[in-house]
């Protein structure tokens, strides 16, 4: 079961919960409003495991490559 981050649209309470994909969104423990599931941040990597977008890397701090 994955962890999901939820935020209450009413009182802004935040929770990270272990939920099944088919479970309904939980209600806020503070105000009872149905909480909104947040889109997780995903890090995409380029070809060869590098985070560089192009082949002309100028030595960005994220990949450590030097040209």
């Amino acid at each position: 079961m994955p962890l999901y981050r939820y935020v209450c649209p009413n009182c802004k309470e935040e929770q990270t919960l272990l939920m099944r994909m088919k479970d309904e969104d939980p209600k806020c423990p503070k105000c009872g409003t149905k909480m909104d599931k947040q889109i997780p941040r995903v890090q995409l990597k380029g070809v060869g495991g590098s985070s560089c977008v192009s082949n002309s890397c100028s030595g960005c701090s994220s990949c450590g490559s030097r040209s």
Side-chain angles (χ1 to χ4, degrees):
M1 287 192 296
L3 285 171
Y4 291 103
R5 185 172 159 256
Y6 289 91
V7 176
C8 176
N10 187 37
C11 70
K12 307 303 181 207
E13 172 73 11
E14 293 185 27
Q15 290 194 329
T16 301
L17 302 169
L18 187 63
M19 305 282 288
R20 286 183 234 132
M21 290 178 67
K22 62 183 177 180
D23 287 345
E24 291 187 28
D25 293 338
K27 290 186 179 181
C28 178
K30 286 188 175 180
C31 69
T33 303
K34 186 175 178 180
M35 298 181 86
D36 294 330
K37 186 185 299 183
Q38 301 300 297
I39 298 173
R41 293 181 184 175
V42 178
Q43 180 179 359
L44 301 176
K45 294 197 176 205
V47 177
S50 173
S51 62
C52 293
V53 176
S54 69
N55 290 335
S56 59
C57 184
S58 62
C60 60
S61 62
S62 64
C63 67
S65 295
R66 301 281 182 242
S67 51

